[in-house]
Amino acid sequence: MLKRQSLPLNDFLSNLESFDIILMRGILVTSLEAQTLTSSTWSHVAMVVVAGDFGLPGIDPNARLIWEANTADTAVDLISNTLKEGPQLVYLTDRIIHNYWKKFDGAYAARKLMYPRRPEMIDTLKKVVAETHDCKLPIVDGQYLELPYFLMGRFENKQSPEGTFFCSQLIAHTYQALGLMSNYYVDNSYVPADFTQDVDISLFNGAWLGNEIYLDTNTLPPQPAETSK
């Protein structure tokens, strides 16, 4: 049976616009557990930001960034210029290359947001970033609380404690602020699977997410020296 052809890295990146969705398929035990619990092949979700739209000084305006909640790793947060835990804005290529060669992720896909981009959307994004950037991942005494916070949101519609975000919660929070998703459900009631074709969240105002576009990982640059250690 024929499968959809994946895109080489340069084409994959150039096709992306701000507010598109990025999906990552983890291959660590924790990621596989999350994929099993949600009956999904994807375990992480992030949102594209074209650098020129956001206007960060000293950054190539054509660079594709992602807004995500993640661990403090080798993808430097471009707002604080540090490695930080929680909400962060990083180069998409840095995240992909690091995670792929570290064997954190095995596959990547994008979903295009089919909706007119308006200047006020960037203003809203900047406000969301300012309000959430200093938040952390939901980790208490070494225990990652994404699952209990999600279950609390999904089945009781109860908001998780302030000051923390997990990956899908941050993207839901951002889309809600943009007016693209209902505020009826709390932001911690969403998991990465909700942003995939399998579940496909209901968006407002005629907006919708396109089919998953896959990245051809065979076109990634060679393994960087720092990831071989």
Side-chain angles (χ1 to χ4, degrees), residues 117-167:
R117 270 60 172 182
R118 299 174 176 140
E120 58 266 28
M121 294 173 70
I122 294 296
D123 294 336
T124 299
L125 174 59
K126 289 180 177 180
K127 182 178 179 181
V128 170
V129 170
E131 292 172 346
T132 62
H133 183 257
D134 291 337
C135 294
K136 305 293 185 183
L137 293 174
I139 300 174
V140 177
D141 296 329
Q143 183 179 4
Y144 192 31
L145 299 178
E146 175 183 1
L147 179 58
Y149 284 177
F150 160 68
L151 295 174
M152 181 172 69
R154 194 72 163 209
F155 297 105
E156 302 176 58
N157 206 29
K158 290 184 178 179
Q159 183 66 54
S160 58
E162 291 185 2
T164 65
F165 284 94
F166 52 87
C167 69

Side-chain angles (χ1 to χ4, degrees), residues 194-229:
D194 288 304
F195 294 88
T196 69
Q197 289 179 192
D198 295 332
V199 179
D200 211 359
I201 53 173
S202 299
L203 299 183
F204 282 179
N205 302 319
W208 54 284
L209 293 171
N211 290 336
E212 291 164 4
I213 302 167
Y214 301 107
L215 169 65
D216 183 352
T217 54
N218 292 316
T219 65
L220 294 180
Q223 182 174 14
E226 64 269 18
T227 64
S228 62
K229 298 176 182 179

